Amino acid sequence: MERPLGVATRGTTNPNRLRRVDNWIVETCGDALRAAADPLVVDLGYGATPVTPVELRARLAAGVRADVRVVGLEIDP
């Protein structure tokens, strides 16, 4: 099995840390997500806990559309 490319980092994943970025995504990408047949957003490198993709999903569901999917991917198992 090949190893993933990249380097694991240990940033903070505190709750509410990325609320400004999430709100920017809602405002900037909201129209594209509303128009998508199957809206999907990927959170790359969410950190030690999945708090950032969970919060992003909640903000997108409330501000864009309820059926949006958010997938979190993390290089460090």
Side-chain angles (χ1 to χ4, degrees):
M1 176 190 272
E2 285 188 43
R3 291 180 31 172
L5 298 176
V7 177
T9 61
R10 290 292 102 203
T12 58
T13 55
N14 295 325
N16 228 15
R17 183 177 76 86
L18 295 177
R19 69 188 175 283
R20 290 183 191 158
V21 173
D22 293 353
N23 292 332
W24 180 86
I25 292 170
V26 167
E27 291 299 318
T28 304
C29 303
D31 289 340
L33 290 169
R34 284 183 200 94
D38 186 19
L40 172 66
V41 175
V42 178
D43 182 345
L44 293 174
Y46 62 80
T49 64
V51 69
T52 57
V54 169
E55 289 180 344
L56 175 58
R57 166 62 175 81
R59 289 183 180 106
L60 289 170
V64 178
R65 56 189 277 187
D67 65 338
V68 67
R69 292 181 303 139
V70 174
V71 175
L73 298 176
E74 176 56 49
I75 193 171
D76 187 3

